[in-house]
Amino acid sequence: MRKSASWMTIWDDRILEYIDENGSASPVQLDESGYFQVSRSQISRRLRRLKEKGMLQHLGNGVYIITAIGEDYLEGELNAEKLNDENREEGAASA
């Protein structure tokens, strides 16, 4: 079972799942998927937050991919409560 952190929202789980299943995504793709009931600006904020925590890597042009940290979280092997902003470099290096 996944252990979400207090900073995470249900949309964070869905964003990670979507990107994991589709390989990558941008705020536009996530918004147009119909899978999210929040605004594109909210999706963008959540993407940035997941990147700060090392769960996503930004490739440029608004495209994000999941990192090993994000995959570990989805597989229930990582408690997101233990993540801090220092994971950003580790997540990018292991993606």
Side-chain angles (χ1 to χ4, degrees), residues 18-81:
Y18 183 95
I19 293 175
D20 187 48
E21 290 172 11
N22 293 282
S24 67
S26 69
V28 172
Q29 290 170 315
L30 293 168
D31 184 42
E32 292 176 351
S33 72
Y35 191 56
F36 302 91
Q37 302 301 315
V38 294
S39 68
R40 188 178 302 171
S41 62
Q42 179 66 12
I43 290 170
S44 294
R45 281 192 291 276
R46 298 318 306 163
L47 287 166
R48 286 191 300 272
R49 185 68 168 151
L50 291 167
K51 177 188 163 288
E52 289 170 1
K53 295 296 184 175
M55 298 175 116
L56 294 176
Q57 179 181 356
H58 186 237
L59 299 179
N61 295 328
V63 176
Y64 290 83
I65 59 171
I66 196 163
T67 65
I69 292 170
E71 289 173 350
D72 287 349
Y73 169 76
L74 287 179
E75 293 170 7
E77 298 175 6
L78 174 72
N79 180 345
E81 204 52 70

Side-chain angles (χ1 to χ4, degrees), residues 84-95:
N84 59 43
D85 292 335
E86 293 174 9
N87 291 100
R88 173 180 26 197
E89 290 81 22
E90 180 183 331
S94 61

